Every structure is written in structure tokens, then in C-alpha cells.
Amino acid sequence: MKHSFDIVVVGAGPAGLAAATAVAEAGRRVAVLDENPRVGGQIWRASLSKVARDRSKERAVARFEASGAKLFSGHQIVDGDAAGALESWVAATQSLETFSFERLILATGARERFLPFPGWTLPGVFGAGGLQALVRSGYDIRGKRVVVVGTGPLLLAVAAHLKQDGARVVLVAEQAPLSQLMQFGLSLITRPGKIVQGLSLRAQLANAQYRTGCWPVAALGDGTVTGVRLSDGSRTWTEACDLLACGFHLVPNTELATLLGCEVGDHGVVVDADQQTSVASVYCVGETTAIAGVDAALLQGRIAGLAAAGRASEARTLHMQRDAERSFGRRMDRAFALRKEMLTLAMPDTIVCRCEDVRFSQISQAAAPGNGWTNAKLQTRCGMGPCQGRICGPALNALFGWKNTSVRAPLFPLPIAALCSSPLATDDATTLVTQEN
Amino acid sequence: MKPFDVVILGAGIVGSACAYECALAGMRVAVVEPAVPAGAASAAGMGHLVVMDDSEAQLALSHFSRELWRELREALPQTVEYEECGTLWVAADAEEMEEVLAKQQRYANSGIASEMLDERALLEAEPGLRHGLAGGLRVPQDGVIYPPTAAGYFLSVAQQRGAQLIQGKRPVRAAEGEVVFEDGSRLSAGWIVIATGTDTSLCPWLKIQPRKGHLVITDRYPGVVRHQLVELGYLKSAHSVSTDSVAFNVQPRKTGQLLIGSSRQYGELKRKADPEMLRRMLDRAVEYMPSLKQLSVVRVWTGFRAATPDKLPLIGPTPDSTVLVAMGFEGLGITNAPGAAKLVLHHLTGAAVPMDPMAFLPSRVARAEAVHA
Amino acid sequence: MRDGTAVNAAMIGLIVNGEALQVRRGSTVAAALLNAATACRISESGEPRTAVCGMGVCFECRATVDGIAQQRTCQMECRDGMVVETQR
């Protein structure tokens, strides 16, 4: 199926919704494509469990729905050309659909960064945001003892949600030292709203310990996780748990931007004051440009939406506020910077690439000077599995400084039928008809 | 004295195999690789070890090479994923069955084992194939490897024997026993072997054309395919000189993944996969094996074969008595690398090879103007 | 029950490795498998694996759903009568 819009937005999280709303309100025809069944992205993900009402989400979604922007859920972008077309795979209908556009706004969000440590592949070990997402989609964790480890503001938020969902949060272990976090806290005085947020999360955790300056050394268990060994640099100890949630802050999803030829820097997709990328027809907003949180995402979305709709000047008043949110993000990056111990957690036999079970020693052998990730990929298959390096890539970047430069379509695995002439072959169709009769 | 007996330009599968043979023969070897070893055609290809019978010379070289691979297999590390899965040439109709018969004759004349299958035996051997195919020819001793690690093995053995890998430097001239690099530095050696695949910048007189191919790799589906499956029409595809073509060609990897090919295009230099070519290629694959449709594609990529006008590689001396080439392997670089390395050694030391080396001399297809060089 | 149909409107019935399982409507297949303490797949070196990222990125939650292998179960909502097979 072919669709044509003035502007296409990829991602229906806060940034994408704000962008699409602004475009539609400016009278342009806009489509929002998102791989998930419902709007909200990760941070505003719908939940089966009881969650506190999020008024900013409700407002944003209501305004989006009233704006006239058209939503296409369940569309996974697999290919694109900045000259004006995207291809999406729709699993529900087993079809590829094409969207042509004049301008494109990327709001592809971020994912958790994982760092390999012994035992991190055991069942029962999850991403922190990953566990929260799974709980929201029906995983029952009532009564389970959970330890949350890693770094970043997400840890506290996740811990609070898991507790609401009935888990017993035993410990939240933040690797960043208190001194570093204090500096961040002080810098938050300019953003009182966020301090309140942090404090309320802290209060909700009640009996759970929140410890800074400590980190996971190994996940323990035979067949499933039963505990985690932690260290604070001077001593190590073990906490028993049923589930271990780990996350080492976030990394932007830059694959589509890279495929389209947009410049990507150390923090994400490079954009100018109007959120325009190095490719003139493409704008980028939210976490994809740099991790800075939901407030930055909303502002950036609105700025890009107005700019893409040809009303950049109307967005100028938002620039200062957006820049302040961005610098909040940069301070956050510094506060949660990885300590050097985080880069030495992997033992020689620790799996780094989960798709292909490539171990740290295999990769370090291939990591001779002059050889980047390409050589390690060819010699060890590291990053060659179906996740296409999305999990091990950021880890390899942290451990070896490698960057993934080869991004190719399809961006996500899809069935061979999708690349053939007739996705639903006649024999399948016949079978279906016969069954209905 | 020159610091090296031989400097090999290019650390693809062919250059690496040459380094291996020369180092085992006791030479002082340098291997020059401007990018990543085995990172171009060696990484893009399938890794099918196959005896090809499209000409006497090709049959001799590919048979010799396949046997060299078979001798090596005990020594190859696990990561090379050598598997003697055999090739199954699939005949669609009665006409192709006649070709199966002729093919079996040619193989038999060279002492190569093969086995004719009728329709029933074909489906027993590969239950995923569609019904109504005529039959096929199983060549049980053909195999499959993962080429980058095989090249890595050759290089590491050569390095253990003292060979030096010079990485990250691009040679811009190779003549009269001297290699000149982009940065102005030089390296001298008794001989230079150019093994740079489709890159003929050091030997522009060679008639080598890049011939683009597409490949698809799936997620893991162990047991779905058991042999390397190739339609008999493949030879038509491989031999068509002017037109774009596709052929049914599916390879089971030791990992349970399937590699699906193949396509051939001249005059197409863009790296990006061409959706139309991909569609034609996969339509062909699904036509032979309908069950492939639901399998999940993990990656799609393209590569460039080094094609010569007569489909045979260019192996041997050039007008410059210090320079040899080992190039132009088209789709058979992986299979033919060990044999090509023995041919190179033959030209350097006179070591015997069980075939006529003259058939591969570059002079047969060199451009007329090269005569003056 | 055995045929994997729901007993009430809030619940959905599916078959996981031949066993009937009831889950809340709206649950993803990955969540259903976690509730049943069933691993999704066996890794290359033989480790059992379950969903990790919960957002369709890590591919650890792949399983066979309604006869189609290697599906990301964290991106699929359960449907009445769905048949799920995991690697064992």
C-alpha cells in the first residue's frame, strides 16, 4: 500500500506526538508511524497494571488526537530514502507499506545501554526499563524480590513502578558516586520541578535501599537468577533476589538516521536550532538527538513540527527553554558517567553478543590495533545476529570505542515474503478461502 | 638484500592463501592490507566449496582446490565452520535432467563422486523443495566454510612462520620489485603478488569487471535445508555476459542460518541493495522452495565479484618479471584460493601443480596496450 | 480449557508447548511466557533465554507463534487460541 503525506513523523513517543500535533495544527497533512500497538513510546507506554495518571501524557495524547494527524501503529520502519520515501513492515497484515513525504521528522527514541557482566544472560535478568515494559504488558511480579542495578535516573523511576506493581524492591544500586550525583542535584536547583519528581520517587520506595557508588559484579544462579554480587570498590557482598533489573543509562536509536545519511555525533543525531539534521529534508527530535528526558522531547517535537511546517519563527520563543532542557541532559550525562570499573566487569568467558554468544575473550583477541568492529564482526560474528548489534553495539562502544558504521536495510528482520513479489502467495490465500468456506 | 622474498598485496582469501603457501615454503613474506583482512569479496561471498565443470581448466582448478580444502579440514579451527554438506544441483525439467547426466559424466571422468537423484530421491534429500522438479545431482564432497575466519587462519599460520601483516597502508604502485604506498613509503621484495580482487588500480591493464551480487541471511532454522542447493540454470546465470540474472542458490550454515542467493549484475557499482534485483532473486528462491517465505531475514548485503571475459581467473606472471597477479575469480574465489596459491608458488619456485598453469596466465586477456608497458 | 480458549472476557487462553495457559487480555506473549516461567529460546551455547529489553530490540524473546518461527513475542499481544512453541 502507498501513502502520501506532506510530513511523516517516525515514533509516537512524547517527541513524535508533539511534532505531529504541531504539524497538523499548522494545517499540513501528517502521518505518525510507530512500531508499537499504542501511542506513547517507551516512557508513556500503556499499562495493564494500575499506574498513576500521567496528566502530561493525557494532555499530549488528547491534543494529538484532536489535531487531525493520522496515526499508523504497528508499522516498523525497515528502509528509507531522505529523498522522500519510507518503507514500513506491518506484521498484522504481513505487508510492506510505502510512505512518501516532503519532510521527515525522526523521533525514534532511545534504548537502554547494557554492559556485559558475569551472569547477565541468566533468565531473570532484565533491562530496568525492559522489566517495567514487560510488567506493563502483563508480567506478574507480585511478591518478587527485585534488585535494580546500573546507572541513570531511570533506575529510581523503574524501582518505584515495580514497587507499585507489587514487587519487593530490595535495593537500588547506582554506580555513580554520591559526590557526582550531588553536583547534579545542585545543578537542579534551576529546575525545581525535577527535584520534586526525584524526591517523590525516593519517598515511594520507602524501605528499599538506594545506594550510590556500588555496582553489580556478577549475577548469580543456576538456570535462573537467585542473587547478585555487588561491590563498592572496597568490599563485595551478595543480595538475594528473584529478578535483577539492570540498565546503564540510555543510548539513542540512530539507525534510521544513519541509513538516511544524517550526521550522528557522540550523543546522538546532530541537529541545528530548528532541529534540522545535516540532511535538509530530515528533522530529528527527542532522545534520538541526545538523552535529555521527556520535557526536552516535548519542546523539541513542537519546534521541529513548526519548522517542518514552514513556521519556524513561531517556535523561536521555545528555543531558550529547549536549550535549558538540553543542558539538563548534558549535566545528567556527566552525573551518571560510567566509572572505569564498569568497563572491566566482563570476564574472559562473559558473553558480550547475546545473539551469537560471542565471549569477551574472543572479541578482545580480534581487537588488534587498526581493527575496528568490522574485523571483530567478521572474525567472531559479534553483532551479526538478529538484533543487528543494537545490544552489544553500545557495549562495544563503551569497552573498545568502536562505532557501528554499517547500517543497512532492512533495519529490522522481516520475512522473506516481504521482499518477494507477492507477500501472500496464492497457495496461502487459497487455504484461507477454503477454511472460511 | 631485499627485506622480503615476496610481498602480497591484499589479505582477502586469495592473498591470505598465497601468504600461507609462501610462508610454508620458507619465504620471507609481507602481506599488505589497506583495510580489514577478508573484508571485501571474501566477506560478501557465500563460502561454497564447489567443483565447477564449465571448462576443463575450471574443473581442474576447482577440483584440486576442493581437495586441498578437504585435506585442511582437520587443521581448520571450529570458527571456519567447515561442513561437507555436499552440493545438490537441482534440475527443474527433463532438459535439465539431461544436463545432470552430462554433468555426472564429466565429474566421473575426473574421478569426482556424484549421485543422480530422481524426483522422489530429490524430495527425500530436501523435503522443502517444491513438488514437480525433475531430479538432481548430489556432489557429496563439496562443502561450505565461513570465509573470513578461513582467511584469518591462513594469515595466522603465515604470521607464525614469520610473515608480516602491514595493515592500514594503501599501495599506489607495484613494479620492479618495489611497492610504493600512499604516504610515500616504500617496500622492496623479490616478487610482488597482486591479489586485490576487483581493485585493479595497481594493474589497470587487467580486464576485470566488478559484477554485483546480492545475498540474504536468515535467522536460525536448523535442518530446514541440508545441502547447498543450486539450480542447474545457475550456469546459465553465471555465464550470461551481458544481462542481469538470478538463480536459486541456498546454503545451510553450520549455525542453522540460511544464505540465499544469487544475483549477477554488470555495470552496477552502487553498494546499496537493489529492491528489484532482490525481489527477482527471492522470487526465484521461493519458486523452488516455497517454505522459505516465512523465514526471517536478518541481513541483506551486496558484494562485487571480479569477473574476467572468459570466466577463468588470472594467475601468474605479468610483463614486469617481479610482479604476479592472482585475481579475477568471479564467484569462485573461496573455492579456488588454495589452488591459486599453489599456482602462484609454482610460478615463484617451480613447485609442481596437477594442471596446466598456462590456462590461467594473465597475458591471455591483457589489453593490447599493456604490451607496450 | 485444553483447547486454549478463554474462560472469561478479561482472560485469554493460549497453548504454550502443548499446555493451556490463561493470561490477562492485552498481555504480550513474552509476558505470558514469563508468567509461565518458560524460556523463549536456547542460545547458541545452550543457555535458556527470556525477554530482556521488552521493546522489540534485543530479540531474546523469539519463539514460534502459530507455526511461524523466530517471532519477537514482546511485540505480540496474545490472542485467544494462540499456539506458542518455545525452544527446549
Side-chain angles (χ1 to χ4, degrees), chain A residues 303-372:
Chain A
I303 292 167
L306 286 167
R311 297 187 179 187
S313 58
E314 290 174 35
R316 294 278 143 77
T317 52
L318 301 172
H319 284 196
M320 241 172 71
Q321 210 183 332
R322 184 259 329 263
D323 296 344
E325 292 296 342
R326 264 194 197 153
S327 74
F328 162 77
R330 281 193 290 273
R331 288 199 300 277
M332 195 163 63
D333 280 350
R334 279 196 295 276
F336 295 104
L338 294 179
R339 57 197 307 147
K340 64 180 193 319
E341 291 92 336
M342 296 302 96
L343 306 180
T344 55
L345 296 176
M347 295 288 120
D349 66 344
T350 303
I351 286 170
V352 175
C353 169
R354 305 176 65 117
C355 292
E356 299 284 329
D357 279 7
V358 184
R359 291 166 202 277
F360 182 72
S361 59
Q362 295 170 267
I363 297 166
S364 50
Q365 274 166 30
N371 287 339

Side-chain angles (χ1 to χ4, degrees), chain A residues 79-81 87 259 355-356 362 368-372 374-375 377-381 383-388 408-410 412-428, chain B residues 35-39 43 79 81 146 148-153 167 216-220 253 255 257 260 272-273 275 278-280 282-283 286 290 292-302:
Chain A
D79 198 359
D81 186 332
E87 284 214 341
L259 184 75
C355 292
E356 299 284 329
Q362 295 170 267
N371 287 339
T374 308
N375 191 61
K377 272 184 179 174
L378 290 176
Q379 295 299 322
T380 71
R381 292 185 180 284
M384 300 274 264
C387 97
Q388 302 178 345
R408 277 188 299 253
F412 279 90
L414 76 185
I416 283 175
L419 303 169
C420 289
S421 291
S422 51
L424 280 172
T426 41
D427 53 339
D428 294 354
Chain B
V36 174
T79 54
E81 296 173 5
Y146 178 60
T149 50
Y153 168 73
Q167 221 186 317
V216 161
I217 193 162
T218 70
D219 206 331
R220 289 167 152 86
R253 306 290 318 171
T255 56
Q257 293 174 287
I260 305 175
K272 196 170 164 30
L278 194 60
R279 186 170 299 126
R280 280 178 60 190
L282 292 175
D283 281 352
V286 166
L292 292 176
K293 263 187 313 190
Q294 288 185 337
L295 307 193
S296 176
V297 172
V298 172
R299 265 191 320 283
V300 173
W301 71 93
T302 64

Side-chain angles (χ1 to χ4, degrees), chain B residues 22-347:
Chain B
C22 291
L24 288 184
M27 295 183 190
R28 294 166 304 150
V29 178
V31 187
V32 173
E33 174 53 56
V36 174
S42 304
M46 267 190 162
H48 181 198
L49 307 179
V50 55
V51 179
M52 287 295 256
D53 58 343
D54 45 329
S55 67
E56 277 300 318
Q58 193 71 276
L59 180 65
L61 177 58
S62 58
H63 183 205
F64 175 48
S65 296
R66 190 195 72 180
E67 295 310 306
L68 289 172
W69 281 114
R70 295 183 69 216
E71 286 163 23
L72 268 173
R73 66 177 176 179
E74 294 301 321
L76 293 173
Q78 283 286 314
T79 54
V80 176
E81 296 173 5
Y82 180 101
E83 189 143 64
E84 206 166 278
C85 59
T87 303
L88 187 44
W89 295 89
V90 180
D93 51 32
E95 192 189 336
E96 290 190 350
M97 268 319 268
E98 279 174 35
E99 174 54 24
V100 162
L101 193 62
K103 202 174 177 66
Q104 192 193 27
Q105 279 303 315
R106 286 193 295 273
Y107 281 151
N109 293 341
S110 297
I112 297 155
S114 71
E115 178 194 353
M116 281 197 34
L117 306 179
D118 61 14
E119 184 190 351
R120 200 177 56 84
L122 178 71
L123 286 176
E124 245 163 56
E126 289 291 349
L129 286 171
R130 76 168 163 87
H131 291 250
L133 294 165
L137 184 70
R138 173 154 53 195
V139 187
Q141 288 163 343
D142 283 355
V144 164
I145 56 163
Y146 178 60
T149 50
Y153 168 73
F154 286 142
L155 265 187
S156 70
V157 172
Q159 283 174 295
Q160 282 157 24
R161 301 273 175 146
Q164 279 192 34
L165 174 64
I166 299 167
Q167 221 186 317
K169 286 173 71 149
R170 182 171 298 280
V172 291
R173 185 171 180 271
E176 293 160 358
E178 190 176 62
V179 176
V180 182
F181 294 97
E182 206 168 29
D183 64 4
S185 61
R186 287 154 192 271
L187 187 67
S188 60
W191 292 289
I192 299 164
V193 178
I194 306 177
T196 49
T198 53
D199 180 357
T200 54
S201 56
L202 296 169
C203 42
W205 64 85
L206 289 181
K207 278 192 170 175
I208 289 178
Q209 277 196 70
R211 200 176 187 193
K212 185 174 174 177
H214 290 73
L215 275 181
V216 161
I217 193 162
T218 70
D219 206 331
R220 289 167 152 86
Y221 302 95
V224 168
V225 175
R226 302 163 185 173
H227 304 79
Q228 170 104 25
L229 299 173
V230 192
E231 66 164 290
L232 267 168
Y234 176 84
L235 285 176
K236 285 178 239 158
S237 163
H239 269 212
S240 130
V241 176
S242 52
T243 54
D244 295 349
S245 63
V246 296
F248 168 63
N249 190 343
V250 176
Q251 176 180 95
R253 306 290 318 171
K254 220 173 188 171
T255 56
Q257 293 174 287
L258 299 180
L259 267 178
I260 305 175
S262 61
S263 74
R264 284 179 153 76
Q265 282 171 287
Y266 277 119
E268 172 57 63
L269 297 174
K270 286 196 297 282
R271 286 230 148 260
K272 196 170 164 30
D274 169 3
E276 185 47 39
M277 210 60 204
L278 194 60
R279 186 170 299 126
R280 280 178 60 190
M281 183 178 98
L282 292 175
D283 281 352
R284 191 75 177 162
V286 166
E287 187 188 320
Y288 276 82
M289 206 166 212
S291 56
L292 292 176
K293 263 187 313 190
Q294 288 185 337
L295 307 193
S296 176
V297 172
V298 172
R299 265 191 320 283
V300 173
W301 71 93
T302 64
F304 296 90
R305 307 173 182 92
T308 62
D310 63 357
K311 310 295 160 208
L312 285 175
L314 311 166
I315 306 165
T318 66
D320 181 329
S321 64
T322 66
V323 177
L324 288 81
V325 298
M327 317 253 292
F329 291 82
E330 221 275 353
L332 284 173
I334 310 301
T335 296
N336 283 340
K342 294 275 191 196
L343 279 168
V344 166
L345 197 67
H346 161 80
H347 290 295

